[in-house]
Amino acid sequence: MQHNLVFKVLDVLSDGKFHSGESIAKTFDISRASIWNAIKKAEQFGVEIYSVRGRGYKLIQPIMFLKKPAIEQVMGEVHHWFNLEIFDVMDSTNSYLLEKASSGHPHASVAVTQIQTKGRGRRGRSWQSALGESLTFSLLWRFNGGAATLSGLSLAVGVAIIRSLHRLGMLNAQLKWPNDVLIQDGTQYKKFAGVLIELQGDMEGQSTAVIGIGINLKLSKKSFNQIDQPATDIKSISKEDIDPNLLLGQILKDLADVLGQFNTYKFASLKEEWMSYHVYQHQIVTLSVGDGRSVTGLAQGVNDDGALLVEKPSHEIEIFSSGEITLRKA
Ligand code: BTN
């Protein structure tokens, strides 16, 4: 069974109305049995479909599909700078662009997928996505300088994401160093988006970054249960479905601005803005540093390289370029 047909059928059903097997079969000039097979395959992808004798098929939850014209419309003229590819099913958009990067894939290529089956997160975590549950995409960006000039890049990407979320009305979205996107949900801050950047290239010559972004839109109970940290999604925050085309188009526009600024003026020029979004700014945090050691102190912002500055009880400032940060209970 081709993914292609499954997504064509789902596209017909995406209006949320009943469609008979016969009418869908006619649309694509194939048998009703093929439509039935496509419906079964869609169910394997986690899509829930009503099937009522005499009426046909209907999606239990409407799905907003990613569509190139819709994304380009949001981006306006800026879309000409990007090379946008939309996939139905893919293991990982980061893996795809990393492989393509070595064979000369163009600068500003974007890979976005409706379903991601082997998505990767930071620290060995996974970032799978069933259909309609999260926006998962990657951007290939080539920089003139070597990898050494890219410090703070992941924080800069966080700035672009927050600008977009704020523009779209999610005014409480904040960042947790280095680049988790959190929002207050009840008494707790919960993560709903993350960034994984993978670099290719040497320390001195040109370098290529694959910037992977995952944003939870509307997670199923099953998906929530699979996440091992406090998590939320846009649906729980705003009570409304967000159009993934709008979200992606806006983020790409903001990324184009921020990455342009980063390339010329480096992270130092975005540092103040980043700190204004930091959820734990001037709060007591505990940082686990990987070797089993943990450090507690006051989060005093970041330096020009994007490293976290923690003021210890002795008033000595310790600088961290990586680590897992948790808020200490008062
Ligand atoms: C994190 O752990 O916070 C980072 C999550 C990054 C997930 C995104 S989804 C699109 C891209 N492709 C991947 O395999 N991972 C990133």
Side-chain angles (χ1 to χ4, degrees), residues 92-94 116 119-122 127 136-138 180 191 194-196 212-214:
S92 152
T93 53
N94 260 39
Q116 181 167 262
R120 291 179 287 110
R122 291 174 58 241
W127 198 290
T136 50
F137 68 99
S138 303
D180 284 350
K191 174 167 169 176
V195 180
L196 174 70
I213 299 178

Side-chain angles (χ1 to χ4, degrees), residues 306-326:
L308 184 72
L309 309 176
V310 177
E311 184 180 338
K312 295 198 282 193
S314 59
H315 298 301
E316 181 203 348
I317 302 257
E318 196 166 336
I319 301 174
F320 296 95
S321 49
S322 71
E324 185 97 347
I325 181 172
T326 49

Side-chain angles (χ1 to χ4, degrees), residues 91-96 111 113 116 118-129 134-139 179-181 191 193-198 210-215 229:
D91 53 358
S92 152
T93 53
N94 260 39
S95 304
Y96 170 76
T113 185
Q116 181 167 262
K118 285 199 189 129
R120 291 179 287 110
R122 291 174 58 241
R123 310 183 157 268
R125 290 194 171 104
S126 63
W127 198 290
Q128 257 78 265
S129 175
S134 62
L135 174 63
T136 50
F137 68 99
S138 303
L139 169 65
N179 53 17
D180 284 350
V181 183
K191 174 167 169 176
V195 180
L196 174 70
I197 298 186
E198 296 177 284
V210 172
I211 300 167
I213 299 178
I215 303 178
Q229 52 186 325

